[in-house]
Amino acid sequence: MERLFNEDCNPKQLSPLTLAFIGDGVFDLFVRERLVCLANSPVKKLHQSAVAQVRCQAQAGFMKQLMSILTEEEIDIFKRGRNAHTSVPRNAEPADYHAATGFEAMFGYLYLKGDIGRLRQLFSIICEKSC
């Protein structure tokens, strides 16, 4: 599978918050597609399940699960995203929010790099342990 828009884009030249912006959408689509394929449920229930998995606390937990299997490049992107200066919402712990930003940056980087197989592998590991 290739990227959806598939325009030339060098993720190494993008800021970590830009990578997190696209990574948020990529991860959200993975979660939503999985939920829809598992069961034809009412939309409200699908939405609640999706929110539980894409909120920063969940993403921070997913990142802890993945750290031991990430490549150096993936860890570097995660750290860049985690350390980016962002405004933390009132309902989030700063550590969780920053870890989630790093998680999303990594997903965005891998997506724009075209490494869909690696994204599937990481998502599969997350689902084995958490979903």
Side-chain angles (χ1 to χ4, degrees):
M1 177 184 163
E2 59 187 42
R3 290 184 13 230
L4 297 173
F5 185 59
N6 215 22
E7 187 70 26
D8 279 344
C9 180
N10 184 351
K12 291 181 181 182
Q13 295 179 340
L14 299 174
S15 76
L17 294 179
T18 300
L19 294 173
F21 173 77
I22 190 71
D24 177 51
V26 170
F27 185 69
D28 189 61
L29 184 57
F30 265 99
V31 168
R32 287 173 181 245
E33 183 176 343
R34 179 181 171 277
L35 291 172
V36 166
C37 290
L38 289 177
N40 187 12
S41 300
V43 174
K44 183 177 180 178
K45 184 176 179 185
L46 291 170
H47 176 71
Q48 290 170 339
S49 295
V51 167
Q53 293 175 52
V54 300
R55 57 189 254 248
C56 70
Q57 295 88 344
Q59 290 181 352
F62 299 152
M63 199 62 222
K64 288 177 186 172
Q65 292 175 2
L66 296 175
M67 282 304 283
S68 65
I69 61 146
L70 296 179
T71 66
E72 286 184 35
E73 180 181 45
E74 292 163 349
I75 291 171
D76 180 57
I77 297 298
F78 162 73
K79 287 179 179 178
R80 285 181 52 214
R82 181 196 62 194
N83 295 336
H85 294 281
T86 61
S87 298
V88 178
R90 281 182 275 169
N91 63 340
E93 291 295 321
D96 287 343
Y97 192 77
H98 291 297
T101 303
F103 174 84
E104 291 173 347
M106 182 186 68
F107 260 68
Y109 178 82
L110 290 171
Y111 175 75
L112 291 175
K113 185 179 164 186
D115 201 346
I116 308 304
R118 180 62 170 164
L119 285 171
R120 286 184 180 134
Q121 180 184 34
L122 295 175
F123 188 72
S124 176
I125 292 166
I126 289 167
C127 288
E128 285 174 12
K129 297 180 179 184
S130 301
C131 298

